[in-house]
């Protein structure tokens, strides 16, 4: 049996989930070929932005992706860039995203597990078209910006989360050191 150390499994990371909204309905209405074209364009954009920003694609999730970074500002900037490229590509579908930062379990060296990951995924689920939801404590100055949505009840979390829409603060984010 393999012996492992018992401590130090948690690491501070920032997670982003980007997801194509309405993909299943689109595939059913337009057919697999059109759906695959949309998905291929999306994945190409995510790969390109990830490579340019140092944000890692942790895993593909069908019509979405889980991103991981060490710091929140570069990850948020990457998500904003992904959305901008998707809009510029004039694809038929939209994106929605969630971002969260916190200490999470690093499992087997490449998998992240815990409430921070779950929060980012669930915020993406509740975000609307072209929105990026994040807790207001994710970025400096966010709680006092024009972005707050307010407290949201998020499945699996015992207390409401104070959430902001990061798509509203792109100019603010661009002023921070990357």
């Amino acid at each position: 049996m393999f012996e492992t150390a018992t401590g130090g499994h948690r690491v501070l990371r920032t997670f982003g989930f980007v997801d194509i909204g309405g993909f299943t309905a689109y595939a059913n209405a337009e057919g697999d070929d059109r759906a695959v074209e949309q998905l291929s364009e999306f994945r190409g954009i995510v790969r390109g932005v990830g490579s340019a920003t140092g944000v890692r694609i942790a895993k593909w999730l069908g019509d979405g992706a889980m991103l991981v970074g060490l710091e929140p500002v570069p990850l948020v900037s990457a998500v904003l860039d992904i959305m901008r490229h998707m809009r510029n590509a004039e694809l038929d579908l939209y994106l929605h995203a969630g971002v969260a930062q916190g200490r999470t379990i690093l499992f087997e060296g490449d998998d992240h597990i815990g409430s921070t990951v779950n929060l980012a995924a669930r915020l993406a689920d509740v975000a609307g078209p072209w929105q990026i939801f994040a807790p207001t404590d994710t970025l400096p100055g966010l709680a006092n910006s024009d972005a707050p949505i307010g407290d949201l009840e998020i499945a699996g979390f015992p207390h409401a989360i104070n959430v902001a829409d990061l798509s509203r603060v792109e100019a603010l984010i661009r002023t921070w050191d990357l």
Side-chain angles (χ1 to χ4, degrees):
M1 183 163 180
F2 218 51
E3 297 281 329
T4 60
T6 56
H9 294 286
R10 291 205 177 251
V11 294
L12 181 63
R13 296 289 186 270
T14 306
F15 299 94
F17 281 79
V18 291
D19 186 65
I20 298 174
F23 183 81
T24 301
Y26 183 85
N28 289 335
E30 300 294 327
D32 291 347
D33 290 343
R34 299 264 325 232
V36 167
E37 288 173 8
Q38 300 283 306
L39 184 57
S40 294
E41 185 74 22
F42 163 72
R43 286 191 175 192
I45 289 169
V46 173
R47 279 187 195 100
V49 170
S51 294
T53 61
V55 169
R56 188 171 73 83
I57 302 164
K59 56 179 97 173
W60 294 108
L61 305 163
D63 61 349
M66 175 180 155
L67 309 173
V68 64
L70 296 176
E71 299 290 333
V73 173
L75 190 128
V76 170
S77 182
V79 173
L80 286 165
D81 287 346
I82 290 166
M83 286 206 173
R84 184 173 39 261
H85 287 295
M86 286 289 289
R87 282 181 183 255
N88 290 343
E90 297 181 3
L91 299 177
D92 297 334
L93 298 168
Y94 64 89
L95 289 183
H96 52 106
V99 173
Q101 180 190 38
R103 299 191 66 75
T104 187
I105 297 167
L106 180 59
F107 186 69
E108 296 181 345
D110 66 353
D111 198 7
H112 297 88
I113 301 167
S115 62
T116 303
V117 177
N118 295 338
L119 179 58
R122 292 195 176 129
L123 287 172
D125 289 343
V126 298
W130 305 112
Q131 289 183 315
I132 308 164
F133 281 5
T136 55
D137 62 0
T138 300
L139 295 168
L142 192 56
N144 299 321
S145 71
D146 294 330
I149 300 293
D151 289 341
L152 293 180
E153 297 292 330
I154 305 295
F157 290 83
H159 305 288
I161 308 291
N162 192 268
V163 173
D165 180 1
L166 301 182
S167 64
R168 296 182 186 177
V169 294
E170 183 168 4
L172 175 65
I173 291 167
R174 298 283 181 212
T175 65
W176 295 326
D177 281 335
L178 295 178

